[in-house]
Each structure stands twice: as structure tokens, then as C-alpha cells.
Amino acid sequence: MARRHVEEGVFKVLMAGAALILAASLALILGTILFKGLPALNVAMLISAPKGGYYLGKDGGILNAILGSLAIGFGSTALALALSLPLVLYLNIYLKKRSRLALAVRFFLDVLWGIPSIVYGAFGFTVMMAVGMRASLLAGTLTLSLVILPIMARSMDEVLKMVPFGLKETSAAMGATRFETAFKVVVKQAYPGLLAAVLTAFGRGIGDAAAVLFTASYTDFLPYSLFKPVATLPLAIFFQLATPFPEVQERGYASALVLTALILAISLTARWFGRRFTRHVIR
Amino acid sequence: MDVRKLRDSLARRSMFTLSVAVLSLSFLMALGLYQRSRPVLDRISLRELLFSTLWQPAQGHFGLGAFIAGTLWVTAIAMAIAIPLSLLTAIYLSEYAHRRTRDLAKPVVDLLAGISPVVYGVWGVVAVVPLVRDHLMPFFSARFPFFPFRSDNFTGYCALSGGIVLALMISPIIISVTDEVLRTVPQAIREASLSVGATRWQTVKHAVLRKARIGITAAVILGLSRAFGETMAVLMVCGCAMRVTPHSVFDAAYPLPALIANTYGEMMSIPLYDAAVLMAALVLFAVTTLFNMAGWGILLRFESGDM
């Protein structure tokens, strides 16, 4: 057999092996979380806040973190949506295809997307110090919205790029302003994809810990005020795992299972939305 | 002027403002972090801050050297694992795999990218750390008792564990960017190569990869910058409690992002401490911004066909 055929075979095996290792790792991660988390998971844990001595192994649960994560996730997703939807509509409908501004904004969205969330956290912290704000639900929400803004805007941009040009032309030919084209025609056409982008960003938001560490801090209370610290699931996992007590660590595994299940559910819903809710879509 | 036109022009103006705000966000971040790290930058030379390994906040010593070294070790290990793994996977998916496999692979890659960093950390603690402690470390330190493998840290919480976890976390971005780059390589190039009798791998090696080389470099740069800034997972598995400069893959490492995350509670208690920590964030910001600009800049030119 010629050497080149041997080389072909060797690389084929290597490539399939690499793909297999990655797929197996994902399965391994999900499996580990499931097997470690499931035995420790119970309903009481999901519906109660930590009581005294929770981190020493006493009674309580992670409801504070679940509600906190949802609050901070919803808040920051709504904020990021309010900013990124107009932004990407502007890029795609108001600006010309070869616009330098559009090019620059897209480039900076890419760059912002790559900045680690701990840096956003530190930046949020400097702003908080400047305006005399304390770590709170509000500060965490604002910071997290900056973290997920580029994630949401970039995937929305991809969705809007797929909207056929003819549709925009048709809308303009009917006498619509660009505002009407953007919000009444294009948004409807791209609705499923936009929704999927929002959900993806939401999932990323509730999974993030580094940005809220400085800005939302942590508390054992349920979220009750915009101006008070709030707990989040990732940090709950982190703190529970950091204790030396096995029973608390096991609750950490259970919390990790809750978070992973939540994110999986969101990402599956996003996928499902991508295919459904196409009533207004013109094909 | 009628209401519709007014609304249109109002919207245009506010959207323009919005895009300018997005453009200025990175500058604002740089400015904010710089402003807050000024006190320590004014007091201590940049050289000492970046290269000294003496970190004693209470005595006013703020050398980030050990943390930067920790970041470099962990990132290097992660890249050494992630580059071959993700490039081979991406080439497989784009050049060899059946359409159905590709369709199946995309959600898997997305999922890998969507899992919370803390969950990666949990996995690292319960799976990777024991693996390193019970198998890799005894194996390597018995057979290769010299530089990158000799260590007296037997806990398993070490640079290698962090590198393994990080490698998995950054492979989704390397895979998806590489896949996109490979897809821009014209099909005609492959056909030409195959028609003169080249095998598939020869086609990939001599035609496709040559064309895509620059784009793949960008993918690797983007992965690198991800690894640089990843915080929570690294904080959980690298053994950050031990503040040492690593000299081995089995030594504990204390990367820069972990330092920032770990000191948030205490940094307001000592003068200059907060400035030094925010200065670390500024370093992280500068490095990741630079890498991202390079990576995306290359991809922009690559896509427009200049390279």
C-alpha cells in the first residue's frame, strides 16, 4: 500500500478519535453531574432558602439562588434585548451593506464577546464605586446585561442577515418607512430566530458567575429588593463545593444538576422555537 | 412632517446613538479600569507589577508575576490539548463527515459552549482532579521525574487539571470558527486536487489547509484568549490556595482571573489592594482585547478574500 494511503488512514483514525473524545467528554460531563447530583437532589432543597448553619450541613435549600438567578437572568436578558434588537435592526436595515459604521459595530461586538466576564465584573465594580452603589440585584443585572449583549446581538445579527433582501425592498416599495420595515416586517419574519437568540443569551446569563460575583454578591435571603444583594445558582454551587463538609458538597452537586438541567431546557426550547412559531414567516 | 416620518427619524437617531455607545463601551471599560488602578500604577513600576512574584498586599508588595506565570502554564496546557483535538474534529466535520453527522455535531458543540463554567468546574473537581491525582501524576512522576513533570503537589489540584478542563471549554469556539473558515474554501480547489489523483487527506493537507491557514490561526487566537480569561472553572480546579509559581504541570497554579475572583471580598480592606486587583483586570482586558482584535481582524480580511 502506498505511503499516502497509510497517511490517509492514520489521519482518518486520528480525526474520528478526536471527534469521539469531545463527544464522549460532553457525555461524561453530563453523566457525572447527573450521577453525582441526582442522589442528593430532593424537593425540600428546591423550595426552601438556606436556614442557619446551612453551609455546615444543616437544613435548608437553594431557593434563594434559583429565584435570584431567574431574577437576574430575566432582568439582564430584557435589558440586553431592549438594546440589541434596535442595534441589529439599525445595522441591517438602516445602514447600507458596506457601511463603515456597521463594520465597526460588528467588529466591536465580536471583540466585546471575547472579553472575559470577570473583566465585566471588575468594570461593573469600578462603576459601582464611582456612583456609590452597593452590590445588589440592580448592579448585577446591569453588569450581566453587558456580558450577554454581544452574545445576543451577534446571534440576532446572523438571523437578520438571512432575511431576504426582496422582502425589505417590497416593504419599501409599499411606502413603508424603514422604521416600519424594521419593526413590522423584518422582526416578524425573523421572529423564531430572534427568540432563539434571546433564549441562548438567557442561558448564558444564568450560567455566568464571574460577572455577578463582584456586582450582585451573595445572600441567603430570597431576592426582595433591587438594591439588596442577590444569590445566584453558579455561586451557590461554588460556595457549597468550597465547604469541607461532604453533605454540603453533595448539595453542590445537586445544585449543579439543577443549573445544568435549566440550561439544557432553555437551549432545547431555543432549538424548538427556531423551528416553530413561524406563523408570520413568509417563505 | 407626518408622524411616521418623525418616528422613523427619531428611531434612526436613537439607534445611531446606541451604536456609538456600543463602540465606546470597550474604551469606557479600559478607562474605568485604568482610572481605578492608577494609585498602584503611580506608586509601583509596571515592570515590578508584571514580573515580580512577590505578592504581599499587607506589606504593599503587588507583584503579579506568579499569577501571570500560572495563567501562562494553564493556558499553554489547555492549548496543547485543545488545538489538535478541535482542529482534527473541525477538519473531520467539514471534510469527511456525512451530512447527518454534521447536523448532529452542531448542537453538541453548541451545548458544550453553553454549559456553565461552574459546572465545568464541578466536573473538574469530581472527575479530572481524581484522574490526575490517582493515575496521571503517579504514572508521569515515576517514569519522567524531570522538568514539566516533577512536583511535590499530590493533591491533583494543579495546572494540568485546569488545562484539561479549559481545553474542553475552549474547543467549541475553535471548532466553530475553523469549521466556518473551512467552509469558505472554494469547493473547486478540492475538486481540482482530487481530480489529479490526490487522496482526501492530501487534498486537505496541500490544498484546503494551505488556503485556510490564516483563518485557522485566527480560530486558535480566539480560543487562546478564551482560555486566558476563563475564571470560575480554573478557580475551582487549579489549587489556587497554594500561592506558588508553577514549575511543573502537576504544580498548583493561581491564574490571573482566579486572583481577581478570589480577592473581591478582602480587597477593600488594605490600601492599594483594590487598585492592584483592578490592575490585574486591566491586564486581562488588554490581552483579551488585543487577541480578539487580531483574531477577528484576520477573519474579516480572510472572508473578504485578501489573504
Side-chain angles (χ1 to χ4, degrees):
Chain A
M1 205 159 72
R3 194 171 149 251
R4 63 199 194 112
H5 290 294
V6 177
E7 198 179 318
E8 173 90 29
V10 167
F11 272 94
K12 237 178 177 166
V13 169
L14 280 180
M15 283 186 279
L20 218 62
I21 287 177
L22 281 178
S25 307
L26 178 67
L28 211 63
I29 293 172
L30 296 179
T32 309
I33 299 297
L34 193 67
F35 279 111
K36 279 279 184 180
L38 209 52
L41 190 67
N42 55 54
V43 180
M45 199 180 138
L46 298 179
I47 55 166
S48 56
K51 303 199 174 82
Y54 176 72
Y55 298 98
L56 304 168
K58 298 253 175 62
D59 276 353
I62 51 163
L63 186 67
N64 60 331
I66 296 176
L67 290 182
S69 265
L70 289 178
I72 221 167
F74 275 123
S76 55
T77 306
L79 257 172
L81 173 64
L83 294 176
S84 51
L85 185 61
L87 182 71
V88 290
L89 285 173
Y90 185 63
L91 294 183
N92 283 285
I93 290 154
Y94 279 78
L95 294 179
K96 295 198 181 70
K97 204 150 198 168
R98 293 247 156 223
S99 149
R100 282 180 173 257
L101 179 63
L103 196 72
V105 172
R106 289 201 170 103
F107 181 70
F108 270 90
L109 280 177
D110 285 341
V111 172
L112 285 173
W113 180 71
I115 291 176
S117 66
I118 185 81
V119 173
Y120 282 96
F123 171 65
F125 186 71
T126 64
V127 174
M128 279 159 53
M129 284 208 285
V131 300
M133 203 172 167
R134 299 217 145 199
S136 58
L137 174 57
L138 182 64
T141 307
L142 291 174
T143 310
L144 198 58
S145 71
L146 288 186
V147 175
I148 61 177
L149 172 75
I151 300 173
M152 196 189 282
R154 283 172 91 251
S155 41
M156 280 184 169
D157 194 34
E158 290 301 316
V159 173
L160 289 194
K161 275 183 192 163
M162 306 295 271
V163 173
F165 189 66
L167 196 66
K168 297 174 220 168
E169 274 182 326
T170 312
S171 170
M174 303 281 285
T177 61
R178 276 178 295 189
F179 181 81
E180 287 159 349
T181 306
F183 283 92
K184 293 189 180 159
V185 178
V186 172
V187 165
K188 265 187 192 157
Q189 175 75 10
Y191 191 59
L194 294 178
L195 214 53
V198 171
L199 281 175
T200 308
F202 179 63
R204 234 20 102 72
I206 59 171
D208 194 277
V212 293
L213 184 63
F214 285 99
T215 52
S217 196
Y218 196 80
T219 172
D220 281 351
F221 296 111
L222 301 183
Y224 65 98
S225 160
L226 267 179
F227 304 101
K228 288 279 182 289
V230 68
T232 43
L233 259 178
L235 286 180
I237 298 167
F238 177 68
F239 290 136
Q240 289 177 104
L241 230 62
T243 64
F245 309 107
E247 53 277 51
V248 183
Q249 289 177 352
E250 259 159 42
R251 287 190 205 140
Y253 303 145
S255 318
L257 177 60
V258 172
L259 177 62
T260 310
L262 206 59
I263 289 176
L264 269 181
I266 292 167
S267 112
L268 287 179
T269 320
R271 240 155 227 298
W272 182 72
F273 270 139
R275 273 178 275 126
R276 294 295 215 84
F277 287 90
T278 51
R279 192 152 46 107
H280 298 290
V281 175
I282 301 163
R283 287 175 210 276
Chain B
M1 204 155 83
D2 94 71
V3 180
R4 293 171 53 219
K5 282 199 178 146
L6 188 69
R7 194 161 50 189
D8 185 61
S9 84
L10 269 181
R12 195 188 63 230
R13 260 163 238 193
S14 43
M15 285 164 163
F16 175 76
T17 319
L18 193 60
S19 6
V20 174
V22 167
L23 283 184
S24 49
L25 185 57
S26 348
F27 298 103
L28 270 178
M29 286 173 81
L31 202 70
L33 291 173
Y34 175 69
Q35 201 64 33
R36 285 285 158 185
S37 42
R38 272 282 290 286
V40 77
L41 284 170
D42 287 346
R43 196 76 62 84
I44 304 170
S45 74
L46 197 62
R47 223 178 106 183
E48 194 187 333
L49 281 172
L50 292 182
F51 297 111
S52 158
T53 54
L54 195 60
W55 177 265
Q56 284 167 344
Q59 272 81 51
H61 295 300
F62 296 105
L64 294 172
F67 308 106
I68 292 175
T71 301
L72 292 179
W73 270 89
V74 175
T75 308
I77 295 168
M79 293 315 281
I81 301 170
I83 291 177
L85 217 54
S86 14
L87 290 190
L88 285 169
T89 304
I91 295 171
Y92 177 73
L93 288 178
S94 121
E95 307 294 319
Y96 283 82
H98 193 272
R99 226 202 113 109
R100 225 175 303 151
T101 320
R102 287 189 54 127
D103 290 346
L104 203 73
K106 193 170 170 355
V108 171
V109 172
D110 285 349
L111 211 61
L112 214 50
I115 295 178
S116 166
V118 175
V119 173
Y120 273 105
V122 172
W123 177 69
V125 170
V126 299
V128 178
V129 167
L131 173 81
V132 170
R133 182 186 57 212
D134 301 335
H135 300 286
L136 295 182
M137 163 99 190
F139 179 85
F140 279 100
S141 56
R143 282 173 184 72
F144 311 100
F146 40 78
F147 177 65
F149 302 114
R150 189 167 64 193
S151 167
D152 47 11
N153 168 24
F154 295 99
T155 59
Y157 289 90
C158 61
L160 179 63
S161 306
I164 292 174
V165 175
L166 265 188
L168 276 178
M169 299 182 71
I170 61 171
S171 35
I173 174 160
I174 304 184
I175 291 175
S176 55
V177 175
T178 305
D179 186 54
E180 225 151 89
V181 163
L182 289 178
R183 221 180 306 168
T184 60
V185 175
Q187 201 59 34
I189 289 182
R190 297 187 181 92
E191 279 158 11
S193 166
L194 289 172
S195 69
V196 292
T199 62
R200 275 210 160 174
W201 175 250
Q202 281 177 318
T203 302
V204 168
K205 193 167 80 172
H206 296 295
V208 178
L209 286 189
R210 178 156 306 175
K211 189 93 179 132
R213 204 169 40 195
I214 300 285
I216 291 176
T217 313
V220 170
I221 292 175
L222 293 176
L224 186 70
S225 105
R226 264 293 133 98
F228 228 78
E230 187 38 58
T231 309
M232 296 310 284
V234 163
L235 180 58
M236 292 165 82
V237 296
C238 283
C240 298
M242 296 154 271
R243 301 192 169 179
V244 286
T245 313
H247 293 288
S248 149
V249 297
F250 296 113
D251 275 350
Y254 199 161
L256 216 47
L259 169 78
I260 304 172
N262 232 359
T263 44
Y264 83 101
E266 58 192 55
M267 70 185 190
M268 300 306 287
S269 52
I270 299 167
L272 287 187
Y273 198 175
D274 58 323
V277 171
L278 291 175
M279 143 90 192
L282 182 62
V283 171
L284 210 55
F285 171 85
V287 171
T288 49
T289 306
L290 223 65
F291 279 13
N292 271 281
M293 283 185 160
W296 292 111
I298 291 174
L299 283 178
L300 260 181
R301 303 215 22 207
F302 179 78
E303 271 157 25
S304 62
D306 286 353
M307 276 174 171

